[in-house]
Amino acid sequence: MPGTIDTVWTARDTTPAGIEAALRRARGDVHRENASYVPARVLNLVCVVDKAYSGEIANRLRRVGRYHPSRTIVCAVEPGREQLDAVATIAAPSEVGHGEIGLLRETVVVDVGPKHLSRLDRIVDPLVVPDLTTAVWAPHGHNEGVDSLLHLAQAVLVDSVDEADPRDALLRACKLSGEAYVVDLAWLRSTPWRERVAATFDPPKLRSDLRVLSAVTVRHHPESEAAAMLFVGWLASRLGWEVGRLTPRANGLELSAHTRRQDARVRLEPDEALQVRGLAGIVLETASGRWLSLERGPGGLRAHYRHRRGIDRTWTILGASRGEAGILGEGIRQALLRDPTYTPALRAAERMAG
Amino acid sequence: MTTTELENPLVEGLERLPVHPTTLVIFGATGDLSRRKLLPAIYNLAHEGALPERFNLVGSSRSRMSDDEFRDQARESITRFSRRQPDPTVLDALLERMRYVPGSFDDAEAYKTLDATLAGFEEEAGQPLNRCFYLSTAPEFFPVIVERLGAQRLQHHDDAEVRIVIEKPFGTTLAEAEELNHRVLRVFREQQVFRIDHYLGKETVQNLMAFRFANGLFEPVWNRNYIDNIQITAAEDIGIGTRAGYYDHAGALRDLVQNHMLQLLCHVAMEPPVHFTADEIRDEKVKVLRSIPAPAEDELERIAMRAQYAPGRVGGEDVPGYLQEEGVPPDSNTETYAALRLHIDNWRWAGVPFYLRTGKRLARKVTEIAITLKPVPHLAFQQDGSVGVRPNQLILTLQPNEGVSLSLGAKIPGSRMRIRPVNMEFLYGTTFMSQSPEAYERLILDAMRGDATLFTRNDEVEAQWRIIDPIVTRWEATPGPLPQYESGTQGPAEADALLDDGQRWRAV
């Protein structure tokens, strides 16, 4: 990883206007020092975090690599704080090749108190780069702060597996999706699974089998029930299934989905052995006798296909694990795109959660 | 949405569309291109989960080696040349899917072995797999391989698609290109043939179409009424390195102008396609090429010039001239610099000169398209004491810093109306921080998917050669010595003769 040269400005008991002016000055200084340095202009990411855990969040952001936002504004919430303290950093690559450009990334950490949350927009507004997409991410809750920022933001990053109760998470995501584009990291965790299921049924001869899906089992990390619900919500919304509420059964959750041809049995199972958030495996069965399972494995997903005519095959679908840093980086990238299938999947998942 | 026989409702919203299970066969799998570009590109596709869910790779070349030896070589190449550090689990899983078929390219037995290997993969998968043959060999083997594939009846599969990817150069003259097309199309249908021009796989070239056709701002001035001239430059600051064997036979005209630079010209000059489909885009490009008259014998001196780099200093280092490079014959008349002046005879571009130039060992590395607008018709104010009002220039830079720059006249602060040009600049790198995939990643995936948008069609190749062939023929028949230009400079002064009065080459 190439090194950076950081230009740092700090102030106690400051104002948003003071921070913004300092950033502007610092950027001018850096550019004067080396004309190859130019500010990146991709995305404003506003993070609302607990002050006590802000270091951990900073570490997570450092690891996202190439999908780093160009300006990150961290509002670190500290109990009892009355005034604003700020640290603004402009990071420049320490080496810029001849004829190349060095991209500047800007980070502003503003220490705020709980009393600032209801009008956090008044603090953040002067600090975002105008005309860029602004995304808000609040991994420690602070819904009040997020709500105050919604009119500034085009996208909100959430992680539906963060909430203890998936119902609350899905409800919150539904509410937010009415006001901004929601990028749900729990949804992104299911992307490789969705891609593979879509690919399995892509050959024209197999597409009709989507009509006769009779059972879906999704195994998930014990805390990633919401991710499993979103996966089933995706299938339901794409295939026009009617889904009811999931009910507990045999250490899992089950429901019967009404499809055009017959009912499909849906089961979600926690997998205690899975160490990372997200899905552990899925099994799809069709009334025509096909049985397909996808499991996490070394080097990709392990696929196992059976047919009642006696066919039994296994193979590996190549792909590297993205890790949590990769998922967050993907979330930041997705804030600049639009996935039309998330909201219908979310609404179906919310119906399943009841 | 309902499930129909025609649609897969699950692909909506996915960034990566499914690719049918495929076996990719690389002829020339132990060669330089395969090791440096193709195998690392395939690894990166695997890493990102972009390969088909069932994917196999067969390497073939003349070297005798086992499957495991080929895998070892592939591992070494991927580890060394991949744009990312390979994930060992993905790499192992990919290598497991590789086989090797040794044999000379005209050896019928090798094709029988290949046929059996392909059938074995299908047996194992329990389904027909698409086949994609990638010809990464010396060009003289292209027709040999195509004909052997045909003899073994590998050009067709009842239940799957068969495609063939052919690397450049696609002929070195018009006659050769026509002959190669003829021999390829006796075995494969045009829809099965994917002729590589890796420039088309570059994000920067694809961005040209986005720039022109996703922005309404430029279209009104994109014609002969407003544009004075267009210069397309592909300059390199390096010499031929260790490529003397190839380069001395090719030269700058064949190496860059006939394919890459004419592609850039087409992207700048083409009409907007009705739809963004392979054939509609290629139809428009062919129309541009057909609108360029093939140079007549008596005008060649005025529209084309060539030169060779002489010794000089680059970056503070003394460097040899082309004729002193290792492996170059001392009497070589191969050009390392070529400049052309072309005209497009259609309503949009009639009378607008298109200048193309490429050279090695120039002052710096840059690929750009400079569009110079006509000067304003009347100036209402004096310009004393200023550098003057210059025509607006729109610069589309493809490398090294992809971006768009517009030069404007602006008032110099002060009490008098003095003007100097200023630049309004946009750099893609500041706005899209994502790492572009290597061109070969995109092209391999497109070929497996059957999307020919970024590949060159048979009539396109022939139309390119129709323009270049008379120049090649004349230059080959005209002995040296060639004009020389000092290494590390702007190139030969003789290139100025191609320009109209009042025009000059943009500084490299």
Side-chain angles (χ1 to χ4, degrees):
Chain A
M1 183 97 177
T4 61
I5 300 167
D6 291 351
T7 304
V8 183
W9 172 88
T10 60
R12 288 181 171 276
D13 197 8
T14 186
T15 61
I19 302 168
E20 197 275 330
L23 260 180
R24 208 166 354 101
R25 274 196 308 276
R27 205 169 53 232
D29 291 347
V30 170
H31 184 71
R32 266 190 295 281
E33 199 174 290
N34 185 340
S36 305
Y37 288 144
V38 288
R41 287 291 173 257
V42 185
L43 173 87
N44 299 301
L45 179 66
V46 183
C47 306
V48 187
V49 302
D50 287 342
K51 166 86 173 164
Y53 300 105
S54 61
E56 178 211 327
I57 296 302
N59 279 337
R60 282 183 72 181
L61 284 171
R62 259 193 289 276
R63 291 197 298 264
V64 302
R66 57 187 165 141
Y67 296 132
H68 205 287
S70 49
R71 181 174 286 186
T72 308
I73 300 156
V74 180
C75 301
V77 185
E78 188 177 23
R81 172 169 282 279
E82 295 289 323
Q83 88 281 4
L84 305 179
D85 291 351
V87 179
T89 307
I90 296 182
S94 54
E95 286 177 22
V96 181
H98 178 66
E100 293 178 355
I101 54 169
L103 288 181
L104 303 176
R105 289 168 175 177
E106 301 152 347
T107 306
V108 185
V109 180
V110 190
D111 292 343
V112 301
K115 75 164 196 178
H116 297 112
L117 286 176
S118 64
R119 296 308 326 193
L120 203 54
D121 55 330
R122 304 282 170 89
I123 296 169
V124 169
D125 197 351
L127 301 180
V128 296
V129 180
D131 300 327
L132 292 189
T133 295
T134 297
V136 177
W137 180 44
H140 303 139
H142 301 300
N143 289 352
E144 186 184 16
V146 173
D147 290 344
S148 82
L149 293 169
L150 284 176
H151 71 97
L152 295 179
Q154 289 73 47
V156 182
L157 266 64
V158 299
D159 193 345
S160 292
V161 304
D162 271 344
E163 293 274 355
D165 184 344
R167 212 169 15 176
D168 292 345
L170 297 171
L171 269 174
R172 173 72 179 154
C174 272
K175 178 177 175 289
L176 288 171
S177 68
E179 304 188 53
Y181 177 64
V182 173
V183 178
D184 192 339
L185 304 188
W187 170 251
L188 300 182
R189 286 190 186 88
S190 72
T191 303
W193 305 86
R194 286 184 280 118
E195 285 175 349
R196 291 314 173 185
V197 172
T200 297
F201 292 98
D202 196 55
K205 277 187 194 167
L206 292 183
R207 286 179 199 170
S208 57
D209 270 26
L210 286 169
R211 293 175 179 164
V212 292
L213 270 179
S214 55
V216 179
T217 304
V218 183
R219 288 187 298 103
H220 56 85
H221 182 271
E223 292 171 7
S224 296
E225 208 170 274
M229 289 181 184
L230 285 167
F231 175 81
V232 176
W234 168 70
L235 270 183
S237 59
R238 298 312 309 153
L239 300 177
W241 293 356
E242 285 174 30
V243 288
R245 192 174 170 177
L246 285 157
T247 53
R249 186 166 300 166
N251 192 31
L253 293 170
E254 290 191 0
L255 65 77
S256 186
H258 303 298
T259 77
R260 287 169 198 273
R261 294 254 173 117
Q262 77 279 304
D263 281 1
R265 185 171 50 80
V266 173
R267 178 170 168 77
L268 311 186
E269 282 178 10
D271 184 335
E272 303 291 340
L274 184 62
Q275 302 289 312
V276 293
R277 294 166 146 198
L279 308 186
I282 58 174
V283 178
L284 303 174
E285 295 171 60
T286 70
S288 54
R290 293 180 201 279
W291 183 96
L292 174 79
S293 86
L294 298 172
E295 301 278 329
R296 280 176 189 262
L301 298 180
R302 192 75 186 144
H304 185 183
Y305 173 74
R306 288 200 309 252
H307 194 281
R308 65 178 168 218
R309 289 198 300 254
I311 300 165
D312 193 325
R313 294 193 178 90
T314 57
W315 69 97
T316 298
I317 302 171
L318 301 171
S321 167
R322 291 168 296 172
E324 280 299 298
I327 299 280
L328 179 58
E330 179 63 11
I332 292 168
R333 190 178 78 93
Q334 289 286 335
L336 296 164
L337 303 171
R338 294 294 177 264
D339 181 350
T341 61
Y342 170 68
T343 304
L346 172 67
R347 302 223 181 273
E350 195 239 330
R351 280 197 298 280
M352 288 187 280
Chain B
M1 183 184 283
T2 58
T3 310
T4 70
E5 296 297 353
L6 298 174
E7 293 173 341
N8 173 1
L10 302 183
V11 299
E12 171 86 17
L14 295 178
E15 270 192 270
R16 273 194 293 266
L17 297 174
V19 185
H20 191 83
T22 299
T23 299
L24 178 68
V25 180
I26 301 178
F27 289 96
T30 56
D32 212 38
L33 177 70
S34 173
R35 294 176 61 236
R36 284 174 181 273
K37 295 287 183 188
L38 304 183
L39 291 169
I42 290 161
Y43 170 76
N44 280 303
L45 292 170
H47 185 102
E48 289 170 4
L51 286 178
E53 68 168 49
R54 279 180 178 275
F55 175 80
N56 309 291
L57 190 149
V58 182
S60 182
S61 73
R62 287 168 291 184
S63 313
R64 293 273 150 197
M65 64 171 92
S66 66
D67 287 343
D68 281 341
E69 285 167 324
F70 176 63
R71 289 180 186 126
D72 288 344
Q73 195 179 92
R75 181 192 297 277
E76 191 270 330
S77 304
I78 290 166
T79 306
R80 187 163 163 211
F81 297 115
S82 166
R83 66 185 165 92
R84 59 158 65 87
Q85 184 71 26
D87 176 323
T89 62
V90 179
L91 182 53
D92 286 347
L94 174 64
L95 294 173
E96 210 174 277
R97 306 307 308 158
M98 292 187 187
R99 300 284 187 279
Y100 185 72
V101 175
S104 66
F105 300 125
D106 60 352
D107 175 8
E109 284 305 309
Y111 292 83
K112 285 182 187 160
T113 310
L114 175 63
D115 195 357
T117 306
L118 296 174
F121 282 131
E122 300 197 352
E123 174 78 23
E124 184 192 330
Q127 66 177 114
L129 306 175
N130 284 357
R131 293 167 180 184
C132 186
F133 299 110
Y134 197 118
L135 274 47
S136 169
T137 65
E140 61 263 32
F141 296 117
F142 295 165
V144 177
I145 296 169
V146 165
E147 283 160 6
R148 284 291 174 193
L149 287 170
Q152 191 62 34
R153 306 186 66 78
L154 285 167
Q155 84 282 26
H156 173 76
H157 192 306
D158 280 342
D159 303 307
E161 300 290 340
V162 181
R163 300 183 178 108
I164 185 161
V165 181
I166 303 178
E167 263 295 337
K168 78 161 195 174
F170 201 88
T172 59
T173 60
L174 175 61
E176 274 187 27
E178 285 174 336
E179 168 70 8
L180 184 53
N181 267 333
H182 178 68
R183 291 176 74 175
V184 169
L185 295 175
R186 266 199 320 218
V187 178
F188 289 89
R189 286 173 291 114
E190 175 61 27
Q191 291 80 359
Q192 294 177 282
V193 183
F194 293 72
R195 296 172 192 80
I196 286 259
D197 182 334
H198 74 269
Y199 242 53
L200 293 176
K202 287 178 183 282
E203 289 280 326
T204 51
V205 176
Q206 295 165 50
N207 251 330
L208 277 174
M209 280 198 273
F211 178 82
R212 281 196 59 202
F213 304 134
N215 299 288
L217 179 62
F218 305 105
E219 178 57 24
V221 298
W222 211 261
N223 56 55
R224 64 190 300 275
N225 297 324
Y226 294 92
I227 291 178
D228 183 76
N229 72 88
I230 293 178
Q231 294 184 14
I232 303 177
T233 301
E236 291 185 81
D237 55 356
I238 56 171
I240 57 162
T242 57
R243 297 169 68 217
Y246 159 75
Y247 197 88
D248 198 58
H249 285 101
L253 198 64
R254 288 186 177 111
D255 190 42
L256 272 167
V257 180
Q258 174 267 327
N259 36 54
H260 307 326
M261 297 189 75
L262 285 180
Q263 286 289 355
L264 294 183
L265 180 147
C266 287
H267 279 78
V268 170
M270 68 192 261
E271 296 299 315
V274 178
H275 299 104
F276 199 75
T277 59
D279 272 335
E280 291 198 31
I281 290 171
R282 296 189 297 180
D283 285 346
E284 295 302 338
K285 288 197 289 179
V286 170
K287 280 186 205 166
V288 172
L289 293 168
R290 286 188 178 153
S291 306
I292 300 173
E297 182 68 24
D298 61 351
E299 64 172 0
L300 280 172
E301 297 292 337
R302 296 194 306 278
I303 67 154
M305 74 78 54
R306 59 178 171 159
Q308 281 173 341
Y309 61 81
R313 281 179 81 82
V314 175
E317 301 278 327
D318 288 332
V319 293
Y322 179 68
L323 297 177
Q324 290 80 46
E325 295 276 16
E326 197 178 325
V328 174
D331 58 349
S332 169
N333 71 343
T334 298
E335 75 286 356
T336 64
Y337 180 102
L340 303 186
R341 174 199 171 103
L342 298 175
H343 282 274
I344 301 175
D345 288 344
N346 64 18
W347 273 50
R348 187 188 282 268
W349 296 114
V352 179
F354 282 70
Y355 300 112
L356 278 57
R357 67 178 161 160
T358 181
K360 290 195 171 291
R361 282 262 164 80
L362 295 174
R364 73 188 170 103
K365 177 183 172 68
V366 65
T367 304
E368 66 173 27
I369 298 164
I371 296 145
T372 304
L373 275 70
K374 291 184 172 170
V376 292
H378 170 68
L379 269 182
F381 40 83
Q382 296 294 316
Q383 296 182 68
D384 293 349
S386 72
V387 291
V389 175
R390 296 208 178 132
N392 298 119
Q393 254 189 352
L394 181 69
I395 314 296
L396 309 171
T397 306
L398 283 86
Q399 55 182 9
N401 295 316
E402 187 190 6
V404 181
S405 162
L406 179 63
S407 77
L408 306 163
K411 179 182 174 295
I412 300 169
S415 56
R416 296 180 59 198
M417 194 64 178
R418 293 183 301 179
I419 307 292
R420 83 170 167 85
V422 294
N423 279 349
M424 195 160 80
E425 287 200 61
F426 168 69
L427 293 164
Y428 283 91
T430 64
T431 301
F432 300 99
M433 294 163 90
S434 58
Q435 195 180 357
S436 296
E438 282 278 324
Y440 277 102
E441 292 172 33
R442 171 77 194 264
L443 293 171
I444 290 169
L445 201 58
D446 280 3
M448 288 196 291
R449 192 182 280 133
D451 181 348
T453 308
L454 302 180
F455 295 85
T456 314
R457 205 168 55 190
N458 57 343
D459 52 350
E460 198 176 350
V461 172
E462 290 177 14
Q464 290 171 343
W465 274 117
R466 193 185 48 77
I467 298 162
I468 299 300
D469 206 47
I471 307 169
V472 169
T473 306
R474 165 70 77 88
W475 284 1
E476 282 187 345
T478 312
L482 269 55
Q484 304 280 303
Y485 58 98
E486 191 183 339
S487 288
T489 65
Q490 295 288 320
E494 290 89 338
D496 291 352
L498 302 184
L499 303 173
D500 281 347
D501 285 347
Q503 292 173 344
R504 52 185 184 175
W505 291 106
R506 234 177 92 74
V508 168

